[in-house]
Amino acid sequence: MTATRGRGRPRAPETDTAILTAALELFVERGVEGTSMEQVAKRAGVGKLTLYRRWSSKEDLLAQAIEQEVRAEVIPSAADVQALRPRDIVEHVLPAAAEMAASPGFRALVARIMGSAVSHPELMQVYWKHYILPRRELAAAMLRRAQQDGAVAADADLDVLIDMMAGAVTYRVLRPDPPDTAGMLRYLTAVYRQAGLYPPAADG
Amino acid sequence: MTATRGRGRPRAPETDTAILTAALELFVERGVEGTSMEQVAKRAGVGKLTLYRRWSSKEDLLAQAIEQEVRAEVIPSAADVQALRPRDIVEHVLPAAAEMAASPGFRALVARIMGSAVSHPELMQVYWKHYILPRRELAAAMLRRAQQDGAVAADADLDVLIDMMAGAVTYRVLRPDPPDTAGMLRYLTAVYRQAGLYPPAADG
């Protein structure tokens, strides 16, 4: 901690982690409008200037906090989708997806991101790029494979079908009385089946 | 304005309208957390006590403002769905739905309601009861009719399929770069077609 950078001392990495964690918590609890740089600094136990040295605005800080939260997920590769049986892929993917979709923290984060989609589209952009797009690419690979197998119609509009699958799940997560993990797994299974991605065991 | 009720003079109906309009505007602009009874009173040009005489909390006031905004819509009856050709119903329903879904005000309102789904589920409940449920009932009637006609599989899970249709539209409304009215009409048409509700002209 002897070198200098910019106007002040370099921060330890754990300071950044504390700031990003505090920012994400406040965003989930109170939304963009209910969160201020002062509150984040206070909760992270740092000075307000420490925040402004790195992030020029609350929106920049929240965008990075969201990116860090959602980008860690791992998904099957496109090569896996070609190599494995559709049924095995679905059975591999769905339990983890159900657990995430049913968790209160994820539910609250998705609600806040959707809620800021119009007032702060830059937060939705971050979520879209780092969370949604990789999963859309996986779904597209699964649907193309299912088209080859004849389980999904050759003339289906895959972009629309992916919206329908992802939209249904988002919708189910945010509607009143959300299901628990077991209920969410049944729900995801029904969505995949309706889309043509979960054939009966004999065909898988 | 000579009679008295409760602690003060009765309000003129236009006062209620001004209050509910101001509350809805502030909710859309700033979310629940960014809205206060003081701000609503100021924008409506009334005293704060006038608000509290009728609504015990900000949440009560916002719930009524949302209900008033979304309940005015008219939809085809279940009898119409049985009497008319599916194609005619779709062509009757979709242009108005596209215009609403593409309007910036609707987009912003839906974003805020989704955004408060976890922190203030009572607002989602109002939206669900007065806006979503009547439309789900219409969609269910259309899908049952389409099952009779063979356009939708007899074993389709209609609740899930309705979630997929409604979810896709909500999702499309809130994702980056939303379509204009013409683009939204094409999008809705694609969703209805994918669900089996928009058969080619020869079959309709």
Side-chain angles (χ1 to χ4, degrees), chain A residues 115-149:
Chain A
S116 61
V118 174
S119 63
H120 298 81
E122 67 273 24
L123 300 182
M124 174 62 97
Q125 287 280 8
V126 165
Y127 178 68
W128 194 263
K129 178 177 172 186
H130 294 286
Y131 186 82
I132 294 182
L133 268 188
R135 284 155 185 79
R136 288 183 78 88
E137 283 160 16
L138 171 64
M142 293 174 71
L143 288 167
R144 284 193 299 268
R145 167 78 190 267
Q147 283 182 314
Q148 291 166 19
D149 297 345

PDB file of all heavy atoms in Angstrom, chain A residues 115-149:
ATOM      1  N   GLY A 115     -37.283  -3.843 -13.729  1.00  0.00           N
ATOM      2  CA  GLY A 115     -37.866  -2.584 -13.286  1.00  0.00           C
ATOM      3  C   GLY A 115     -37.120  -1.366 -13.790  1.00  0.00           C
ATOM      4  O   GLY A 115     -37.709  -0.295 -13.970  1.00  0.00           O
ATOM      5  N   SER A 116     -35.821  -1.514 -14.022  1.00  0.00           N
ATOM      6  CA  SER A 116     -35.031  -0.369 -14.487  1.00  0.00           C
ATOM      7  C   SER A 116     -34.823  -0.400 -16.000  1.00  0.00           C
ATOM      8  O   SER A 116     -34.049   0.395 -16.530  1.00  0.00           O
ATOM      9  CB  SER A 116     -33.684  -0.348 -13.759  1.00  0.00           C
ATOM     10  OG  SER A 116     -32.956  -1.523 -14.018  1.00  0.00           O
ATOM     11  N   ALA A 117     -35.534  -1.311 -16.693  1.00  0.00           N
ATOM     12  CA  ALA A 117     -35.302  -1.494 -18.133  1.00  0.00           C
ATOM     13  C   ALA A 117     -35.563  -0.225 -18.930  1.00  0.00           C
ATOM     14  O   ALA A 117     -34.910   0.018 -19.952  1.00  0.00           O
ATOM     15  CB  ALA A 117     -36.184  -2.631 -18.666  1.00  0.00           C
ATOM     16  N   VAL A 118     -36.510   0.575 -18.487  1.00  0.00           N
ATOM     17  CA  VAL A 118     -36.840   1.790 -19.242  1.00  0.00           C
ATOM     18  C   VAL A 118     -36.075   2.998 -18.690  1.00  0.00           C
ATOM     19  O   VAL A 118     -35.516   3.787 -19.437  1.00  0.00           O
ATOM     20  CB  VAL A 118     -38.366   2.026 -19.236  1.00  0.00           C
ATOM     21  CG1 VAL A 118     -38.719   3.358 -19.887  1.00  0.00           C
ATOM     22  CG2 VAL A 118     -39.063   0.877 -19.977  1.00  0.00           C
ATOM     23  N   SER A 119     -36.005   3.116 -17.366  1.00  0.00           N
ATOM     24  CA  SER A 119     -35.330   4.287 -16.782  1.00  0.00           C
ATOM     25  C   SER A 119     -33.808   4.177 -16.876  1.00  0.00           C
ATOM     26  O   SER A 119     -33.120   5.187 -16.999  1.00  0.00           O
ATOM     27  CB  SER A 119     -35.749   4.453 -15.314  1.00  0.00           C
ATOM     28  OG  SER A 119     -35.342   3.339 -14.546  1.00  0.00           O
ATOM     29  N   HIS A 120     -33.257   2.960 -16.832  1.00  0.00           N
ATOM     30  CA  HIS A 120     -31.816   2.747 -16.865  1.00  0.00           C
ATOM     31  C   HIS A 120     -31.481   1.565 -17.773  1.00  0.00           C
ATOM     32  O   HIS A 120     -31.035   0.504 -17.298  1.00  0.00           O
ATOM     33  CB  HIS A 120     -31.275   2.483 -15.450  1.00  0.00           C
ATOM     34  CG  HIS A 120     -31.471   3.621 -14.515  1.00  0.00           C
ATOM     35  ND1 HIS A 120     -32.656   3.853 -13.866  1.00  0.00           N
ATOM     36  CD2 HIS A 120     -30.643   4.621 -14.135  1.00  0.00           C
ATOM     37  CE1 HIS A 120     -32.544   4.938 -13.120  1.00  0.00           C
ATOM     38  NE2 HIS A 120     -31.341   5.426 -13.259  1.00  0.00           N
ATOM     39  N   PRO A 121     -31.682   1.743 -19.085  1.00  0.00           N
ATOM     40  CA  PRO A 121     -31.492   0.605 -20.008  1.00  0.00           C
ATOM     41  C   PRO A 121     -30.074   0.051 -19.994  1.00  0.00           C
ATOM     42  O   PRO A 121     -29.853  -1.088 -20.399  1.00  0.00           O
ATOM     43  CB  PRO A 121     -31.868   1.189 -21.375  1.00  0.00           C
ATOM     44  CG  PRO A 121     -31.854   2.672 -21.204  1.00  0.00           C
ATOM     45  CD  PRO A 121     -32.135   2.948 -19.769  1.00  0.00           C
ATOM     46  N   GLU A 122     -29.107   0.828 -19.507  1.00  0.00           N
ATOM     47  CA  GLU A 122     -27.733   0.323 -19.485  1.00  0.00           C
ATOM     48  C   GLU A 122     -27.576  -0.871 -18.542  1.00  0.00           C
ATOM     49  O   GLU A 122     -26.714  -1.733 -18.766  1.00  0.00           O
ATOM     50  CB  GLU A 122     -26.737   1.441 -19.128  1.00  0.00           C
ATOM     51  CG  GLU A 122     -26.847   1.985 -17.704  1.00  0.00           C
ATOM     52  CD  GLU A 122     -27.867   3.105 -17.554  1.00  0.00           C
ATOM     53  OE1 GLU A 122     -28.806   3.187 -18.375  1.00  0.00           O
ATOM     54  OE2 GLU A 122     -27.734   3.914 -16.606  1.00  0.00           O
ATOM     55  N   LEU A 123     -28.413  -0.942 -17.510  1.00  0.00           N
ATOM     56  CA  LEU A 123     -28.343  -2.097 -16.610  1.00  0.00           C
ATOM     57  C   LEU A 123     -28.921  -3.334 -17.296  1.00  0.00           C
ATOM     58  O   LEU A 123     -28.382  -4.432 -17.174  1.00  0.00           O
ATOM     59  CB  LEU A 123     -29.087  -1.794 -15.303  1.00  0.00           C
ATOM     60  CG  LEU A 123     -28.548  -0.593 -14.515  1.00  0.00           C
ATOM     61  CD1 LEU A 123     -29.324  -0.425 -13.211  1.00  0.00           C
ATOM     62  CD2 LEU A 123     -27.062  -0.707 -14.247  1.00  0.00           C
ATOM     63  N   MET A 124     -30.017  -3.174 -18.007  1.00  0.00           N
ATOM     64  CA  MET A 124     -30.568  -4.290 -18.784  1.00  0.00           C
ATOM     65  C   MET A 124     -29.566  -4.752 -19.849  1.00  0.00           C
ATOM     66  O   MET A 124     -29.427  -5.954 -20.103  1.00  0.00           O
ATOM     67  CB  MET A 124     -31.892  -3.849 -19.425  1.00  0.00           C
ATOM     68  CG  MET A 124     -32.509  -4.866 -20.371  1.00  0.00           C
ATOM     69  SD  MET A 124     -32.959  -6.429 -19.568  1.00  0.00           S
ATOM     70  CE  MET A 124     -34.707  -6.126 -19.272  1.00  0.00           C
ATOM     71  N   GLN A 125     -28.845  -3.806 -20.458  1.00  0.00           N
ATOM     72  CA  GLN A 125     -27.841  -4.174 -21.472  1.00  0.00           C
ATOM     73  C   GLN A 125     -26.771  -5.091 -20.873  1.00  0.00           C
ATOM     74  O   GLN A 125     -26.358  -6.070 -21.497  1.00  0.00           O
ATOM     75  CB  GLN A 125     -27.157  -2.907 -22.025  1.00  0.00           C
ATOM     76  CG  GLN A 125     -28.020  -2.059 -22.955  1.00  0.00           C
ATOM     77  CD  GLN A 125     -28.099  -2.596 -24.371  1.00  0.00           C
ATOM     78  OE1 GLN A 125     -27.625  -3.700 -24.662  1.00  0.00           O
ATOM     79  NE2 GLN A 125     -28.721  -1.832 -25.257  1.00  0.00           N
ATOM     80  N   VAL A 126     -26.307  -4.749 -19.675  1.00  0.00           N
ATOM     81  CA  VAL A 126     -25.283  -5.570 -19.018  1.00  0.00           C
ATOM     82  C   VAL A 126     -25.829  -6.966 -18.737  1.00  0.00           C
ATOM     83  O   VAL A 126     -25.167  -7.977 -19.000  1.00  0.00           O
ATOM     84  CB  VAL A 126     -24.827  -4.897 -17.704  1.00  0.00           C
ATOM     85  CG1 VAL A 126     -24.053  -5.872 -16.827  1.00  0.00           C
ATOM     86  CG2 VAL A 126     -23.987  -3.671 -18.002  1.00  0.00           C
ATOM     87  N   TYR A 127     -27.040  -7.016 -18.210  1.00  0.00           N
ATOM     88  CA  TYR A 127     -27.666  -8.300 -17.906  1.00  0.00           C
ATOM     89  C   TYR A 127     -27.870  -9.095 -19.192  1.00  0.00           C
ATOM     90  O   TYR A 127     -27.626 -10.298 -19.246  1.00  0.00           O
ATOM     91  CB  TYR A 127     -29.002  -8.021 -17.209  1.00  0.00           C
ATOM     92  CG  TYR A 127     -29.823  -9.228 -16.844  1.00  0.00           C
ATOM     93  CD1 TYR A 127     -29.410 -10.117 -15.860  1.00  0.00           C
ATOM     94  CD2 TYR A 127     -31.046  -9.459 -17.474  1.00  0.00           C
ATOM     95  CE1 TYR A 127     -30.180 -11.201 -15.511  1.00  0.00           C
ATOM     96  CE2 TYR A 127     -31.829 -10.548 -17.121  1.00  0.00           C
ATOM     97  CZ  TYR A 127     -31.393 -11.420 -16.146  1.00  0.00           C
ATOM     98  OH  TYR A 127     -32.174 -12.495 -15.814  1.00  0.00           O
ATOM     99  N   TRP A 128     -28.304  -8.418 -20.231  1.00  0.00           N
ATOM    100  CA  TRP A 128     -28.558  -9.069 -21.517  1.00  0.00           C
ATOM    101  C   TRP A 128     -27.282  -9.694 -22.064  1.00  0.00           C
ATOM    102  O   TRP A 128     -27.256 -10.859 -22.467  1.00  0.00           O
ATOM    103  CB  TRP A 128     -29.121  -8.040 -22.500  1.00  0.00           C
ATOM    104  CG  TRP A 128     -29.710  -8.668 -23.721  1.00  0.00           C
ATOM    105  CD1 TRP A 128     -29.101  -8.844 -24.929  1.00  0.00           C
ATOM    106  CD2 TRP A 128     -31.021  -9.223 -23.851  1.00  0.00           C
ATOM    107  NE1 TRP A 128     -29.946  -9.485 -25.790  1.00  0.00           N
ATOM    108  CE2 TRP A 128     -31.136  -9.724 -25.162  1.00  0.00           C
ATOM    109  CE3 TRP A 128     -32.110  -9.342 -22.985  1.00  0.00           C
ATOM    110  CZ2 TRP A 128     -32.295 -10.337 -25.624  1.00  0.00           C
ATOM    111  CZ3 TRP A 128     -33.268  -9.964 -23.453  1.00  0.00           C
ATOM    112  CH2 TRP A 128     -33.354 -10.447 -24.746  1.00  0.00           C
ATOM    113  N   LYS A 129     -26.212  -8.905 -22.048  1.00  0.00           N
ATOM    114  CA  LYS A 129     -24.955  -9.359 -22.656  1.00  0.00           C
ATOM    115  C   LYS A 129     -24.329 -10.511 -21.857  1.00  0.00           C
ATOM    116  O   LYS A 129     -23.887 -11.498 -22.434  1.00  0.00           O
ATOM    117  CB  LYS A 129     -23.981  -8.178 -22.725  1.00  0.00           C
ATOM    118  CG  LYS A 129     -22.620  -8.528 -23.287  1.00  0.00           C
ATOM    119  CD  LYS A 129     -21.745  -7.283 -23.386  1.00  0.00           C
ATOM    120  CE  LYS A 129     -20.324  -7.658 -23.769  1.00  0.00           C
ATOM    121  NZ  LYS A 129     -19.431  -6.473 -23.727  1.00  0.00           N
ATOM    122  N   HIS A 130     -24.308 -10.389 -20.538  1.00  0.00           N
ATOM    123  CA  HIS A 130     -23.535 -11.334 -19.732  1.00  0.00           C
ATOM    124  C   HIS A 130     -24.354 -12.491 -19.195  1.00  0.00           C
ATOM    125  O   HIS A 130     -23.798 -13.526 -18.843  1.00  0.00           O
ATOM    126  CB  HIS A 130     -22.857 -10.604 -18.574  1.00  0.00           C
ATOM    127  CG  HIS A 130     -21.823  -9.640 -19.032  1.00  0.00           C
ATOM    128  ND1 HIS A 130     -20.594 -10.030 -19.517  1.00  0.00           N
ATOM    129  CD2 HIS A 130     -21.855  -8.282 -19.136  1.00  0.00           C
ATOM    130  CE1 HIS A 130     -19.900  -8.958 -19.873  1.00  0.00           C
ATOM    131  NE2 HIS A 130     -20.647  -7.889 -19.666  1.00  0.00           N
ATOM    132  N   TYR A 131     -25.662 -12.337 -19.114  1.00  0.00           N
ATOM    133  CA  TYR A 131     -26.475 -13.437 -18.592  1.00  0.00           C
ATOM    134  C   TYR A 131     -27.361 -14.050 -19.676  1.00  0.00           C
ATOM    135  O   TYR A 131     -27.324 -15.250 -19.922  1.00  0.00           O
ATOM    136  CB  TYR A 131     -27.339 -12.962 -17.410  1.00  0.00           C
ATOM    137  CG  TYR A 131     -28.073 -14.101 -16.758  1.00  0.00           C
ATOM    138  CD1 TYR A 131     -27.430 -14.905 -15.822  1.00  0.00           C
ATOM    139  CD2 TYR A 131     -29.391 -14.398 -17.096  1.00  0.00           C
ATOM    140  CE1 TYR A 131     -28.084 -15.980 -15.235  1.00  0.00           C
ATOM    141  CE2 TYR A 131     -30.042 -15.474 -16.510  1.00  0.00           C
ATOM    142  CZ  TYR A 131     -29.390 -16.257 -15.588  1.00  0.00           C
ATOM    143  OH  TYR A 131     -30.038 -17.321 -15.017  1.00  0.00           O
ATOM    144  N   ILE A 132     -28.132 -13.197 -20.336  1.00  0.00           N
ATOM    145  CA  ILE A 132     -29.146 -13.747 -21.238  1.00  0.00           C
ATOM    146  C   ILE A 132     -28.542 -14.291 -22.532  1.00  0.00           C
ATOM    147  O   ILE A 132     -28.866 -15.396 -22.960  1.00  0.00           O
ATOM    148  CB  ILE A 132     -30.221 -12.677 -21.536  1.00  0.00           C
ATOM    149  CG1 ILE A 132     -30.978 -12.358 -20.234  1.00  0.00           C
ATOM    150  CG2 ILE A 132     -31.182 -13.159 -22.614  1.00  0.00           C
ATOM    151  CD1 ILE A 132     -32.097 -11.369 -20.387  1.00  0.00           C
ATOM    152  N   LEU A 133     -27.671 -13.525 -23.172  1.00  0.00           N
ATOM    153  CA  LEU A 133     -27.175 -13.946 -24.483  1.00  0.00           C
ATOM    154  C   LEU A 133     -26.492 -15.325 -24.464  1.00  0.00           C
ATOM    155  O   LEU A 133     -26.777 -16.150 -25.331  1.00  0.00           O
ATOM    156  CB  LEU A 133     -26.235 -12.898 -25.076  1.00  0.00           C
ATOM    157  CG  LEU A 133     -26.889 -11.849 -25.985  1.00  0.00           C
ATOM    158  CD1 LEU A 133     -25.822 -10.995 -26.648  1.00  0.00           C
ATOM    159  CD2 LEU A 133     -27.790 -12.490 -27.042  1.00  0.00           C
ATOM    160  N   PRO A 134     -25.591 -15.616 -23.505  1.00  0.00           N
ATOM    161  CA  PRO A 134     -24.985 -16.957 -23.514  1.00  0.00           C
ATOM    162  C   PRO A 134     -26.027 -18.067 -23.396  1.00  0.00           C
ATOM    163  O   PRO A 134     -25.890 -19.134 -24.003  1.00  0.00           O
ATOM    164  CB  PRO A 134     -24.062 -16.932 -22.280  1.00  0.00           C
ATOM    165  CG  PRO A 134     -23.815 -15.486 -22.003  1.00  0.00           C
ATOM    166  CD  PRO A 134     -25.046 -14.754 -22.449  1.00  0.00           C
ATOM    167  N   ARG A 135     -27.084 -17.819 -22.623  1.00  0.00           N
ATOM    168  CA  ARG A 135     -28.133 -18.826 -22.458  1.00  0.00           C
ATOM    169  C   ARG A 135     -29.013 -18.937 -23.703  1.00  0.00           C
ATOM    170  O   ARG A 135     -29.495 -20.014 -24.043  1.00  0.00           O
ATOM    171  CB  ARG A 135     -28.965 -18.489 -21.216  1.00  0.00           C
ATOM    172  CG  ARG A 135     -28.224 -18.858 -19.959  1.00  0.00           C
ATOM    173  CD  ARG A 135     -28.628 -18.090 -18.741  1.00  0.00           C
ATOM    174  NE  ARG A 135     -27.761 -18.468 -17.621  1.00  0.00           N
ATOM    175  CZ  ARG A 135     -26.522 -17.999 -17.469  1.00  0.00           C
ATOM    176  NH1 ARG A 135     -26.007 -17.109 -18.326  1.00  0.00           N
ATOM    177  NH2 ARG A 135     -25.778 -18.397 -16.454  1.00  0.00           N
ATOM    178  N   ARG A 136     -29.216 -17.814 -24.383  1.00  0.00           N
ATOM    179  CA  ARG A 136     -29.954 -17.870 -25.656  1.00  0.00           C
ATOM    180  C   ARG A 136     -29.174 -18.689 -26.672  1.00  0.00           C
ATOM    181  O   ARG A 136     -29.762 -19.419 -27.472  1.00  0.00           O
ATOM    182  CB  ARG A 136     -30.192 -16.462 -26.210  1.00  0.00           C
ATOM    183  CG  ARG A 136     -31.230 -15.672 -25.443  1.00  0.00           C
ATOM    184  CD  ARG A 136     -31.477 -14.316 -26.100  1.00  0.00           C
ATOM    185  NE  ARG A 136     -32.328 -14.416 -27.270  1.00  0.00           N
ATOM    186  CZ  ARG A 136     -33.658 -14.355 -27.237  1.00  0.00           C
ATOM    187  NH1 ARG A 136     -34.282 -14.183 -26.094  1.00  0.00           N
ATOM    188  NH2 ARG A 136     -34.365 -14.456 -28.349  1.00  0.00           N
ATOM    189  N   GLU A 137     -27.845 -18.530 -26.669  1.00  0.00           N
ATOM    190  CA  GLU A 137     -27.043 -19.292 -27.631  1.00  0.00           C
ATOM    191  C   GLU A 137     -27.137 -20.789 -27.350  1.00  0.00           C
ATOM    192  O   GLU A 137     -27.228 -21.593 -28.277  1.00  0.00           O
ATOM    193  CB  GLU A 137     -25.592 -18.783 -27.612  1.00  0.00           C
ATOM    194  CG  GLU A 137     -25.476 -17.465 -28.369  1.00  0.00           C
ATOM    195  CD  GLU A 137     -24.229 -16.655 -28.000  1.00  0.00           C
ATOM    196  OE1 GLU A 137     -23.304 -17.232 -27.388  1.00  0.00           O
ATOM    197  OE2 GLU A 137     -24.211 -15.444 -28.318  1.00  0.00           O
ATOM    198  N   LEU A 138     -27.134 -21.153 -26.070  1.00  0.00           N
ATOM    199  CA  LEU A 138     -27.317 -22.561 -25.713  1.00  0.00           C
ATOM    200  C   LEU A 138     -28.692 -23.062 -26.163  1.00  0.00           C
ATOM    201  O   LEU A 138     -28.817 -24.132 -26.777  1.00  0.00           O
ATOM    202  CB  LEU A 138     -27.168 -22.741 -24.202  1.00  0.00           C
ATOM    203  CG  LEU A 138     -27.548 -24.128 -23.663  1.00  0.00           C
ATOM    204  CD1 LEU A 138     -26.615 -25.196 -24.212  1.00  0.00           C
ATOM    205  CD2 LEU A 138     -27.535 -24.138 -22.139  1.00  0.00           C
ATOM    206  N   ALA A 139     -29.718 -22.280 -25.878  1.00  0.00           N
ATOM    207  CA  ALA A 139     -31.075 -22.690 -26.267  1.00  0.00           C
ATOM    208  C   ALA A 139     -31.180 -22.836 -27.784  1.00  0.00           C
ATOM    209  O   ALA A 139     -31.803 -23.775 -28.286  1.00  0.00           O
ATOM    210  CB  ALA A 139     -32.097 -21.670 -25.754  1.00  0.00           C
ATOM    211  N   ALA A 140     -30.539 -21.915 -28.524  1.00  0.00           N
ATOM    212  CA  ALA A 140     -30.587 -21.993 -29.989  1.00  0.00           C
ATOM    213  C   ALA A 140     -29.913 -23.274 -30.476  1.00  0.00           C
ATOM    214  O   ALA A 140     -30.418 -23.950 -31.390  1.00  0.00           O
ATOM    215  CB  ALA A 140     -29.921 -20.761 -30.605  1.00  0.00           C
ATOM    216  N   ALA A 141     -28.780 -23.628 -29.854  1.00  0.00           N
ATOM    217  CA  ALA A 141     -28.086 -24.866 -30.257  1.00  0.00           C
ATOM    218  C   ALA A 141     -28.973 -26.077 -29.971  1.00  0.00           C
ATOM    219  O   ALA A 141     -29.063 -27.010 -30.786  1.00  0.00           O
ATOM    220  CB  ALA A 141     -26.753 -24.979 -29.516  1.00  0.00           C
ATOM    221  N   MET A 142     -29.652 -26.072 -28.833  1.00  0.00           N
ATOM    222  CA  MET A 142     -30.536 -27.189 -28.493  1.00  0.00           C
ATOM    223  C   MET A 142     -31.714 -27.270 -29.468  1.00  0.00           C
ATOM    224  O   MET A 142     -32.119 -28.358 -29.884  1.00  0.00           O
ATOM    225  CB  MET A 142     -31.044 -27.035 -27.057  1.00  0.00           C
ATOM    226  CG  MET A 142     -29.939 -27.187 -26.021  1.00  0.00           C
ATOM    227  SD  MET A 142     -30.509 -26.818 -24.318  1.00  0.00           S
ATOM    228  CE  MET A 142     -31.553 -28.238 -24.000  1.00  0.00           C
ATOM    229  N   LEU A 143     -32.255 -26.105 -29.831  1.00  0.00           N
ATOM    230  CA  LEU A 143     -33.416 -26.117 -30.731  1.00  0.00           C
ATOM    231  C   LEU A 143     -33.010 -26.534 -32.148  1.00  0.00           C
ATOM    232  O   LEU A 143     -33.758 -27.246 -32.828  1.00  0.00           O
ATOM    233  CB  LEU A 143     -34.083 -24.730 -30.739  1.00  0.00           C
ATOM    234  CG  LEU A 143     -34.852 -24.392 -29.450  1.00  0.00           C
ATOM    235  CD1 LEU A 143     -35.208 -22.905 -29.401  1.00  0.00           C
ATOM    236  CD2 LEU A 143     -36.127 -25.235 -29.340  1.00  0.00           C
ATOM    237  N   ARG A 144     -31.839 -26.108 -32.595  1.00  0.00           N
ATOM    238  CA  ARG A 144     -31.385 -26.552 -33.938  1.00  0.00           C
ATOM    239  C   ARG A 144     -31.193 -28.061 -33.948  1.00  0.00           C
ATOM    240  O   ARG A 144     -31.553 -28.745 -34.906  1.00  0.00           O
ATOM    241  CB  ARG A 144     -30.084 -25.829 -34.321  1.00  0.00           C
ATOM    242  CG  ARG A 144     -30.299 -24.378 -34.751  1.00  0.00           C
ATOM    243  CD  ARG A 144     -29.058 -23.784 -35.415  1.00  0.00           C
ATOM    244  NE  ARG A 144     -27.915 -23.759 -34.512  1.00  0.00           N
ATOM    245  CZ  ARG A 144     -27.595 -22.725 -33.728  1.00  0.00           C
ATOM    246  NH1 ARG A 144     -28.339 -21.630 -33.733  1.00  0.00           N
ATOM    247  NH2 ARG A 144     -26.539 -22.795 -32.952  1.00  0.00           N
ATOM    248  N   ARG A 145     -30.602 -28.572 -32.886  1.00  0.00           N
ATOM    249  CA  ARG A 145     -30.440 -30.022 -32.773  1.00  0.00           C
ATOM    250  C   ARG A 145     -31.817 -30.706 -32.796  1.00  0.00           C
ATOM    251  O   ARG A 145     -32.013 -31.730 -33.473  1.00  0.00           O
ATOM    252  CB  ARG A 145     -29.702 -30.328 -31.466  1.00  0.00           C
ATOM    253  CG  ARG A 145     -29.714 -31.773 -31.020  1.00  0.00           C
ATOM    254  CD  ARG A 145     -28.718 -32.630 -31.784  1.00  0.00           C
ATOM    255  NE  ARG A 145     -28.909 -34.043 -31.502  1.00  0.00           N
ATOM    256  CZ  ARG A 145     -28.270 -34.725 -30.556  1.00  0.00           C
ATOM    257  NH1 ARG A 145     -27.376 -34.116 -29.793  1.00  0.00           N
ATOM    258  NH2 ARG A 145     -28.493 -36.008 -30.380  1.00  0.00           N
ATOM    259  N   ALA A 146     -32.780 -30.140 -32.062  1.00  0.00           N
ATOM    260  CA  ALA A 146     -34.120 -30.726 -32.020  1.00  0.00           C
ATOM    261  C   ALA A 146     -34.795 -30.647 -33.389  1.00  0.00           C
ATOM    262  O   ALA A 146     -35.582 -31.511 -33.755  1.00  0.00           O
ATOM    263  CB  ALA A 146     -34.971 -30.025 -30.956  1.00  0.00           C
ATOM    264  N   GLN A 147     -34.476 -29.599 -34.161  1.00  0.00           N
ATOM    265  CA  GLN A 147     -35.005 -29.527 -35.531  1.00  0.00           C
ATOM    266  C   GLN A 147     -34.435 -30.658 -36.382  1.00  0.00           C
ATOM    267  O   GLN A 147     -35.151 -31.288 -37.158  1.00  0.00           O
ATOM    268  CB  GLN A 147     -34.683 -28.169 -36.156  1.00  0.00           C
ATOM    269  CG  GLN A 147     -35.595 -27.048 -35.658  1.00  0.00           C
ATOM    270  CD  GLN A 147     -35.306 -25.712 -36.326  1.00  0.00           C
ATOM    271  OE1 GLN A 147     -34.152 -25.310 -36.450  1.00  0.00           O
ATOM    272  NE2 GLN A 147     -36.353 -25.018 -36.756  1.00  0.00           N
ATOM    273  N   GLN A 148     -33.128 -30.906 -36.226  1.00  0.00           N
ATOM    274  CA  GLN A 148     -32.517 -32.027 -36.962  1.00  0.00           C
ATOM    275  C   GLN A 148     -33.213 -33.341 -36.614  1.00  0.00           C
ATOM    276  O   GLN A 148     -33.424 -34.193 -37.480  1.00  0.00           O
ATOM    277  CB  GLN A 148     -31.030 -32.154 -36.609  1.00  0.00           C
ATOM    278  CG  GLN A 148     -30.140 -31.032 -37.123  1.00  0.00           C
ATOM    279  CD  GLN A 148     -28.753 -31.060 -36.451  1.00  0.00           C
ATOM    280  OE1 GLN A 148     -28.341 -32.063 -35.887  1.00  0.00           O
ATOM    281  NE2 GLN A 148     -28.046 -29.935 -36.536  1.00  0.00           N
ATOM    282  N   ASP A 149     -33.561 -33.486 -35.323  1.00  0.00           N
ATOM    283  CA  ASP A 149     -34.183 -34.731 -34.873  1.00  0.00           C
ATOM    284  C   ASP A 149     -35.683 -34.781 -35.184  1.00  0.00           C
ATOM    285  O   ASP A 149     -36.330 -35.787 -34.908  1.00  0.00           O
ATOM    286  CB  ASP A 149     -34.006 -34.887 -33.348  1.00  0.00           C
ATOM    287  CG  ASP A 149     -32.525 -34.991 -32.953  1.00  0.00           C
ATOM    288  OD1 ASP A 149     -31.692 -35.230 -33.849  1.00  0.00           O
ATOM    289  OD2 ASP A 149     -32.231 -34.835 -31.757  1.00  0.00           O
TER     290      ASP A 149
END
